[in-house]
Amino acid sequence: MFQAFLIKYGEIGIKGKNRHLFEDALVHQIKYALKPVEGEFLITKEQGRIYIEALGNYDYEEVIESLQCVFGIVGICPVVLTEDKGFEQLVEDIISYLDSHYTDKNKTFKVNTRRARKNYPLSSMEINAVLGEKILEAFPEMKVDVHNPDIMIHIEIRKKINIYSDIIPGLGGMPVGTNGKAMLLLSGGIDSPVAGYMIAKRGVKIDAVYFHAPPYTSERAKQKVVDLAKIVAKYSGPIYLKVINFTDIQMYIYEKCPHEELTIIMRRYMMRIAEYFAKETNSLGLVTGESIGQVASQTMQSLAATNEVCELPVYRPLIGFDKQEIIAVSEKIGTYETSILPYEDCCTIFVAKHPVTKPNLKIIKRSETHLEEKIEEMVKTAIDTAETIVVEAERL
Ligand code: ATP
Ligand code: MG
């Protein structure tokens, strides 16, 4: 059983001062991911490495699963850490490592040594050569293969000696918290949770806003959005979710504006309100799950009309994705099953039979003037009555 894990992370673009920010954020996210896992863990940074040591019993599978949700981790190496007690001892340690971790010895191997400190009496090449021989002596079934070995035995000579032979892939990306914050427009659909995941993958912390339209949308529809946020939070960390009561605004637009323009005008008000909260909480942009051409409200003209009300940049990480590609990601991250549950969405309730697909901004703006009497007051009320829910990660 391994008592420690060596965490590998990407090094491109994290030179100098950024490196500390990157590492500190990564340690923070690892702690968050391990919090609900049974066992006690010590997390340390050393010479450009992050180690997780288990102080006592722990659940191996759970640790791996949790770490596989942390952005910034490229590889997770279950590692044996030994004190440097001379080369003889190292030989013994390697032999017993192989003996205990590989019951079937009928395998090819290669020894790959790296010295992070140069005061070790043997060079890396010498260590590789001598250890190779000793392994062949100890396990005659094993064979050397320097090109494509079954077992790559990594030995790193550091303060302690690191022995590992397995690199479990991580998610990659950047640790959340290294690239500012954005406001996600989160609906109960398939797309927006995936969009949130993808932005968080680049190190961006996310808050979210959901437009609720009771009694047309039910408590269950709202709960579905909270459930989706819980799943996204496994990767992004806790999400501050604003639930906006959108019913009055929708009804008012329905009453005053041409029905084929309803969706566009409604989406413009969603963006305005989302932007208000984004600015209030220091988000640097808005995020949606839109992709070009998916529906009438996502043609280039519609996107332009929606965009026009925003001062902050609007990020659309799925812009070039086909639905099937989006579904593939949602299945991978675990949101798909929840997304397809059949609860009503506020956009579908008032939807027109023939929505405009090429909205003309001048016409849309003219229609919006019909709202002048009450809309400002309504937006203010929606903002003032917003509910905030702190959504923590759903646990395994
Ligand atoms: P999704 O699967 O994410 O619901 P969709 O294909 O249903 O997307 P639309 O309903 O046109 O597309 O919505 C486009 C985007 O607008 C969504 O991805 C989401 O970011 C945002 N959005 C739509 N409805 C809501 C809502 N009720 N609350 C918050 N954001 C919403
Ligand atoms: Mg939707």
Side-chain angles (χ1 to χ4, degrees), residues 164-207:
Y164 61 95
S165 53
D166 197 10
I167 306 180
I168 301 160
L171 280 181
M174 318 258 302
V176 170
T178 54
N179 271 325
K181 191 165 74 167
M183 179 65 81
L184 170 68
L185 282 87
L186 181 63
S187 68
I190 295 170
D191 307 328
S192 46
V194 173
Y197 168 89
M198 290 185 64
I199 285 286
K201 183 170 187 209
R202 299 310 304 159
V204 180
K205 186 171 165 29
I206 50 178
D207 288 341

Side-chain angles (χ1 to χ4, degrees), residues 185-187 189-192 211 267 288-289 294 297-298 346-347:
L185 282 87
L186 181 63
S187 68
I190 295 170
D191 307 328
S192 46
F211 295 90
R267 300 202 41 74
T288 76
Q294 200 189 74
S297 59
Q298 297 177 29
C346 75
C347 293

